[in-house]
Amino acid sequence: MKITVHGAGGGEVTGSCYLVQTRDANVIVDCGMFQGTRKLDNHNHIPQRGAFTKLNAVILTHAHLDHTGRLPLLTRAGYDGPLYATPATTDIADLILKDSAHLQQADLERKNRRRKQQNLEPLEPLYTQEDVDKLNRLYRPLRYDHRTEVAPGISVRAVEAGHMLGSVSLEMTVEEGGAKKVVVFSGDLGPRGAPLHRDPVPFEHADYVFMESTYGDRDHKPLAETAIETRKVVKKAIEAKGKILVPTFAVGRTQLLLYLLAGAFQKRTMSPFPIFIDSPMGIKATKIYGKHTDLFDAEALAMMKSGELHAHLKTVKFCPTADDSRALNHHPGPCMIMAGAGMCTGGRILHHFKHNLSSPETTVLIVGYQGHGSLGRMLVDGKKSVNIMGQKVAVRASVHTFGGLSGHAGQTDLLRWLKSFAKSRPHVFLTHGEERARKPLGKIIKDRFNLRVEYPGHKETIEI
Ligand SMILES: [Zn+2]
């Protein structure tokens, strides 16, 4: 058996893709997009020769773009085999990939207008909506805690990864020439005890494990620590009849925040106030969450079944159209507006910032990571004035960071996950982490569990 790391190796955190090859079959686990710098954009292709043209199956760990973004390139290249994913992953991947195709199209049109002026050939899109649509008939349901035969001699068992709705870790059993090997793929692992999602389920035995290491060098701030402070900030803003602007990623953070607010309303630590989901994608994602409530943790499930969840979210209103969004400019406070983009790099949140940042009654609530150079980072850094859509806007709003909502396990939880099956002495391959994160994690794994640890590079092949 050979396993080649076609992404998220060599210190990268995007583009997750493993190719597993035996004498009888070729399968891939995840097919993610490389995100970030332009250099990485050049990686966004599918090999046109070799095993990739003879795939028996594709298996997905979860729906995030860095694990699914190159799937339409497979259908574009003619792949029509099965695509195994949990039903929630299928629904969310379709939403995320359609959005990705749409954004690429808009970006390309802009670039090509400029290229036309310079008499340059127009650029081709990486993939189109049609390529995304073609994926729909390939999806096959991957059931939790169930063994699925995916190719001759290769079967997988999927268990909860706790990272996002529908996420799984995979235990792959590979039989070749009378020998049987177990390879575990962690996928992205979630933190233990996080609200709404179930905890990651560990394994008992593995010969090899490909493990993510995004936060291998640190632990997150505990959610409970910042939740109390955030509640005070929100309460104060509501009493001052201000607007609370929350730049959010449409999938995950939006629903998590709604769940936490419902809990606060239920416990009467806060009185209900109007909440607007001003994001077409956020609305669709919230509906997908509503369809897969069986994946919620016990507390959220109980709240859902008793009807309390809906009852306490009565003040939530959806704003699907641009007109709905514009109408919020004249809506008096107090209210909360959740809108994209998560890092304030575009989207409807910019319009709300333009109208409200200069008002001292406004509160900006940061719930996710803000990359270097992003508008969100400038606000976190306390800039007194920012440029929004070519206009200088004074910042008089207060800015508060609500930490602890990460979908990734910190160092302690990663080690705890591995500990449960470390006794079976798996050979560990650390991926999906920058060097500064995976190297310290690897050192602890070696010292604590006395296991062999390796750090595969991009396109490195491991012979097993
Ligand atoms: Zn992920």
Side-chain angles (χ1 to χ4, degrees):
M1 169 182 25
K2 283 194 293 190
I3 298 182
T4 308
V5 179
H6 277 277
E12 298 292 346
V13 288
T14 62
S16 265
C17 182
Y18 302 98
L19 169 67
V20 181
Q21 290 171 275
T22 69
R23 258 168 274 159
D24 308 313
N26 300 301
V27 304
I28 56 172
V29 172
D30 289 340
C31 198
M33 185 181 271
F34 288 92
Q35 293 163 298
T37 67
R38 204 174 294 153
K39 178 179 147 268
L40 293 178
D41 282 340
N42 296 334
H43 286 337
N44 280 326
H45 64 264
I46 292 290
Q48 297 300 320
R49 271 178 296 181
F52 269 84
T53 60
K54 294 176 280 187
L55 290 177
N56 297 70
V58 178
I59 312 144
L60 296 183
T61 61
H62 65 286
H64 281 149
L65 199 64
D66 59 330
H67 291 253
T68 60
R70 277 187 287 165
L71 285 175
L73 294 179
L74 283 179
T75 43
R76 200 176 173 86
Y79 177 72
D80 65 352
L83 175 46
Y84 292 95
T86 62
T89 294
T90 302
D91 287 346
I92 300 173
D94 184 54
L95 178 68
I96 286 180
L97 290 171
K98 276 188 179 138
D99 182 61
S100 161
H102 172 74
L103 290 176
Q104 281 182 51
Q105 184 71 32
D107 191 42
L108 202 70
E109 276 168 18
R110 225 179 0 254
K111 275 185 191 152
N112 281 343
R113 270 198 296 274
R114 219 173 305 136
R115 287 177 73 88
K116 201 176 173 187
Q117 288 166 0
Q118 297 162 346
N119 282 326
L120 294 168
E121 287 285 303
L123 297 170
E124 285 283 310
L126 206 52
Y127 50 75
T128 62
Q129 294 287 350
E130 288 77 54
D131 301 315
V132 176
D133 289 341
K134 275 190 231 158
L135 289 165
N136 279 325
R137 58 189 179 82
L138 306 184
Y139 286 113
R140 303 280 182 280
L142 194 61
R143 280 167 59 195
Y144 281 91
D145 309 312
H146 188 84
R147 186 158 289 285
T148 309
E149 169 112 26
V150 295
I154 302 180
S155 65
V156 292
R157 185 171 69 90
V159 302
E160 180 61 67
H163 172 62
M164 72 180 295
L165 198 76
S167 66
V168 296
S169 299
L170 296 170
E171 178 190 81
M172 181 182 280
T173 305
V174 183
E175 291 184 72
E176 191 184 24
K180 199 189 220 180
K181 294 273 183 253
V182 176
V183 188
V184 160
F185 295 92
S186 70
D188 285 359
L189 291 165
R192 285 178 67 86
L196 194 57
H197 296 303
R198 302 183 297 191
D199 283 350
V201 172
F203 295 94
E204 271 151 27
H205 169 88
D207 298 305
Y208 304 90
V209 51
F210 287 80
M211 180 178 173
E212 73 118 324
S213 54
T214 318
Y215 288 95
D217 58 336
R218 68 203 124 131
D219 276 326
H220 303 294
K221 209 172 180 182
L223 174 65
E225 227 172 73
T226 62
I228 298 166
E229 201 192 322
T230 302
R231 207 181 299 146
K232 275 188 210 155
V233 170
V234 170
K235 260 180 153 173
K236 206 171 134 198
I238 298 301
E239 275 158 24
K241 295 195 170 19
K243 284 183 176 166
I244 304 167
L245 307 180
V246 193
T248 51
F249 294 98
V251 184
R253 298 290 155 85
T254 301
Q255 296 76 31
L256 193 54
L257 209 53
L258 286 176
Y259 174 64
L260 291 173
L261 285 164
F265 299 155
Q266 183 192 33
K267 293 185 191 94
R268 295 179 194 279
T269 48
M270 224 184 258
S271 304
F273 52 80
I275 299 164
F276 297 99
I277 311 290
D278 187 18
S279 150
M281 196 171 161
I283 296 166
K284 286 182 192 147
T286 305
K287 287 181 178 162
I288 293 174
Y289 267 68
K291 189 176 148 191
H292 298 283
T293 51
D294 54 316
L295 302 178
F296 289 2
D297 68 5
E299 202 182 329
L301 196 60
M303 205 171 160
M304 174 76 205
K305 281 187 173 160
S306 67
E308 297 258 329
L309 190 59
H310 273 116
H312 291 290
L313 289 176
K314 268 194 188 137
T315 56
V316 175
K317 295 240 165 22
F318 290 151
C319 303
T321 69
D323 279 344
D324 297 329
S325 181
R326 266 190 294 274
L328 293 178
N329 293 338
H330 311 290
H331 193 283
C335 67
M336 180 181 275
I337 301 171
M338 299 186 203
M343 282 201 229
C344 322
T345 45
R348 292 184 182 177
I349 194 72
L350 294 187
H351 295 274
H352 298 302
F353 278 167
K354 202 169 110 183
H355 282 94
N356 298 293
L357 274 184
S358 53
S359 157
E361 289 85 46
T362 301
T363 300
V364 178
L365 194 59
I366 301 286
V367 294
Y369 175 76
Q370 304 297 317
H372 275 287
S374 66
L375 174 60
R377 178 62 73 91
M378 287 175 202
L379 294 174
V380 171
D381 289 346
K383 279 255 159 72
K384 291 286 164 240
S385 107
V386 288
N387 203 311
I388 298 174
M389 296 180 285
Q391 199 179 311
K392 205 171 160 189
V393 180
V395 183
R396 294 193 195 93
S398 55
V399 180
H400 176 79
T401 303
F402 181 19
L405 289 174
S406 175
H408 278 278
Q411 188 188 65
T412 304
D413 285 340
L414 286 172
L415 291 166
R416 194 171 167 163
W417 178 81
L418 182 64
K419 189 181 175 213
S420 57
F421 62 107
K423 57 187 179 302
S424 67
R425 321 256 348 115
H427 186 161
V428 182
F429 296 91
L430 291 181
T431 54
H432 205 288
E434 290 175 19
E435 299 300 4
R436 67 180 175 118
R438 68 173 181 167
K439 290 281 164 69
L441 181 70
K443 190 176 178 319
I444 301 175
I445 293 172
K446 275 186 205 160
D447 293 348
R448 197 174 291 176
F449 307 124
N450 192 25
L451 296 176
R452 242 176 101 185
V453 180
E454 285 182 49
Y455 311 92
H458 182 52
K459 295 213 172 159
E460 190 172 323
T461 299
I462 296 132
E463 299 261 1
I464 288 172

